[in-house]
């Protein structure tokens, strides 16, 4: 049982100055959007579980970051380890499924694609769990500050399966209104169809999300799109490996081919990447 009254800190080396400033700016963005509270001069609760935060680059060619919360810190005593999971049976679109759908429709195929911005952050944290969502930051300019998260964070295990419940309701609804060919992966959605029905299908999908109160961004229709790590050209019917992914994959392959053996972590990386 997770004892929320237990004070747990995770002493760790502070982020480098630049990373700390970037993370603090991201925390302030969340405050402005009403998804976080802070900065505070002291922890918001007498007893709380401090969660380490860190930044992950969204794109090798961009300065944009995703703020991650390390709820697995502490191993078997971590917040994530203490949470029950329903172990949902779920299916996601894969590049193979997208490829097969394109081949099924054939020449002239058109795509409607969109994603839901920061889908986890749409979900409210339960108030009684608030002491589990406390962060601290240290910057040269502002010193030590504390923050209270109000929404499901990236890195908390229930965020993932909680969103899966929402995702599958969306997919069920799409099939209910006759959009059975919609493909989805977490918060990304792709509809591939013949050009004579593309406009009507796009309108139906936009209305479905609007009726559910779900915002979309990066919405597009046409014959070219980026999806699931590939660039898709629907005119030439080709799937292209992006150059940044090609360079990273090539470097990994060179390292792995020269190694006498691979660690478990390297094997997991290879499976995930390839």
């Amino acid at each position: 049982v997770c004892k929320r009254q237990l004070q747990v800190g995770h002493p760790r080396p502070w982020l480098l100055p630049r990373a700390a400033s970037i993370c603090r700016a991201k925390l302030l963005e969340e405050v402005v959007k009403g998804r976080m509270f802070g900065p505070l001069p002291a922890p918001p609760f007498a007893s709380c579980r401090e969660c380490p935060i860190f930044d992950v680059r969204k794109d090798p060619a961009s300065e944009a970051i995703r703020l991650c919360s390390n709820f697995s810190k502490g191993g078997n005593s971590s917040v994530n380890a203490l949470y029950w999971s329903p172990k949902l049976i779920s299916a996601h679109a894969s590049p193979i499924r997208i490829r097969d759908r394109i081949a099924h429709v054939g020449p002239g195929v058109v795509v409607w694609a969109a994603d839901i911005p920061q889908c986890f952050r749409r979900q409210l944290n339960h108030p009684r769990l608030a002491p589990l969502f406390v962060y601290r930051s240290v910057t040269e300019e502002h010193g030590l500050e504390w923050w209270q998260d109000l929404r499901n964070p990236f890195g908390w295990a229930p965020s993932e399966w909680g969103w899966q419940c929402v995702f599958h309701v969306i997919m069920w609804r799409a099939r209910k209104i006759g959009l059975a060919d919609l493909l989805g992966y977490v918060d990304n959605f792709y509809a591939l169809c013949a050009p004579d029905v593309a406009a009507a299908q796009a309108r139906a999908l936009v209305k479905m999300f609007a009726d559910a109160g779900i915002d979309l961004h990066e919405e597009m229709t046409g014959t070219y799109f980026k999806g699931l790590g590939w660039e898709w050209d629907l005119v030439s019917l080709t799937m292209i490996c992006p150059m940044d992914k090609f360079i990273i994959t090539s470097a990994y392959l060179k390292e792995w081919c020269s190694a006498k053996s691979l660690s478990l972590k390297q094997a997991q990386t290879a499976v995930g990447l390839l």
Side-chain angles (χ1 to χ4, degrees):
V1 177
C2 179
K3 295 183 178 179
R4 294 182 294 278
Q5 297 79 17
L6 183 64
Q7 175 72 21
V8 178
H10 292 297
R12 52 160 288 176
W14 301 115
L15 296 169
L16 294 174
R18 175 172 170 75
S21 295
I22 292 174
C23 285
R24 185 182 188 277
K26 199 70 176 178
L27 291 167
L28 283 174
E29 285 181 19
E30 292 297 288
V31 171
V32 171
K33 293 175 181 176
R35 301 191 294 220
M36 195 173 289
F37 187 74
L40 302 168
F45 300 95
S47 297
C48 59
R49 282 178 173 257
E50 175 212 339
C51 178
I53 56 173
F54 60 97
D55 61 309
V56 173
R57 291 275 289 274
K58 287 187 175 182
D59 186 330
S62 169
E63 289 294 320
I65 68 162
R66 174 181 284 113
L67 190 66
C68 294
S69 310
N70 189 4
F71 286 96
S72 293
K73 182 72 172 180
N76 291 335
S77 297
S78 69
V79 172
N80 276 345
L82 295 171
Y83 267 95
W84 170 83
S85 169
K87 304 296 183 185
L88 298 172
I89 297 175
S90 60
H92 295 284
S94 64
I96 292 174
R97 288 188 66 194
I98 291 179
R99 178 205 64 187
D100 289 350
R101 176 62 186 163
I102 292 170
H104 175 74
V105 177
V109 59
V110 178
V111 68
W112 175 89
D115 67 62
I116 299 172
Q118 298 180 306
C119 63
F120 290 0
R121 304 297 286 163
R122 301 179 64 89
Q123 315 306 315
L124 291 168
N125 294 338
H126 197 289
R128 70 185 178 87
L129 302 179
L132 301 178
F133 301 98
V134 175
Y135 314 130
R136 61 171 164 166
S137 67
V138 177
T139 58
E140 293 179 343
E141 183 178 359
H142 301 280
L144 173 62
E145 296 175 308
W146 297 84
W147 312 77
Q148 173 67 56
D149 209 343
L150 306 174
R151 301 293 184 99
N152 285 188
F154 197 92
W156 185 46
S159 297
E160 189 277 334
W161 63 256
W163 174 253
Q164 284 305 301
C165 296
V166 179
F167 171 81
H168 287 292
V169 170
I170 292 172
M171 299 302 288
W172 168 83
R173 180 60 181 168
R175 283 152 177 74
K176 186 79 172 177
I177 62 175
L179 302 172
D181 293 326
L182 180 67
L183 300 176
Y185 183 88
V186 187
D187 58 355
N188 299 279
F189 298 89
Y190 311 96
L192 295 139
C193 54
D196 57 331
V197 298
Q201 189 161 32
R203 287 194 298 270
L205 284 164
V206 170
K207 184 178 185 303
M208 180 190 75
F209 283 103
D211 289 345
I214 298 175
D215 300 324
L216 297 172
H217 75 160
E218 297 182 356
E219 183 184 344
M220 64 152 293
T221 57
T223 57
Y224 173 86
F225 69 104
K226 294 181 179 181
L228 303 188
W230 294 87
E231 297 173 2
W232 303 84
D233 185 335
L234 302 181
V235 175
S236 60
L237 298 181
T238 55
M239 51 192 295
I240 306 159
C241 181
M243 185 53 66
D244 57 350
K245 183 178 179 181
F246 177 79
I247 292 171
I248 293 170
T249 303
S250 297
Y252 272 126
L253 288 174
K254 183 177 180 180
E255 175 188 342
W256 296 333
C257 288
S258 62
K260 293 183 179 179
S261 62
L262 297 182
S263 67
L264 175 59
K265 185 175 181 180
Q266 287 175 315
Q268 290 171 333
T269 300
V271 170
L273 189 62
L274 300 178

